[in-house]
Amino acid sequence: MCTYTTATLDLVGNAKNGTTWERVKTVSVYLDHPVAFPATHSLNIDLFADQDDPKRSAALELSPRSARELAEAILTMIAQAPDGLLEEG
């Protein structure tokens, strides 16, 4: 069942598309039918260079388990970073 609930966040970072790196400014996260992932539903993450440009920089379609493991790994890496390493400048 699709919830049509989407979290949209502003980002500061880059994404690689083929051989080219480009700035990403926005991410959308939602549960929906995947385009290519062989499942009925997936957690989808779309990265955009510009919120007003529908061209994705990168996209992920993840199983719920993989999405949860990715989120936990991100939080673990941030929690384990030495002081000052993750300061934004």
Side-chain angles (χ1 to χ4, degrees), residues 5-9 27-31 43-46:
T5 301
T6 301
T8 302
L9 307 164
V27 63
S28 293
V29 181
Y30 54 97
L31 290 167
L43 179 95
N44 303 315
I45 302 171
D46 295 336

Side-chain angles (χ1 to χ4, degrees), residues 11 14-15 24 26-28 45-49 55-60:
L11 293 180
N14 289 339
V24 289
T26 308
V27 63
S28 293
I45 302 171
D46 295 336
L47 299 168
F48 297 92
K55 178 184 152 267
R56 287 184 197 97
S57 297
L60 293 172

Side-chain angles (χ1 to χ4, degrees), residues 78-89:
I78 291 171
Q80 293 177 357
D83 289 342
L85 183 69
L86 299 178
E87 292 179 14
E88 293 188 31

Side-chain angles (χ1 to χ4, degrees), residues 2-33:
C2 299
T3 64
Y4 300 104
T5 301
T6 301
T8 302
L9 307 164
D10 293 331
L11 293 180
V12 176
N14 289 339
K16 192 171 185 180
N17 185 350
T19 59
T20 305
W21 284 93
E22 59 184 83
R23 189 124 0 247
V24 289
K25 297 181 182 178
T26 308
V27 63
S28 293
V29 181
Y30 54 97
L31 290 167
D32 202 345
H33 302 283

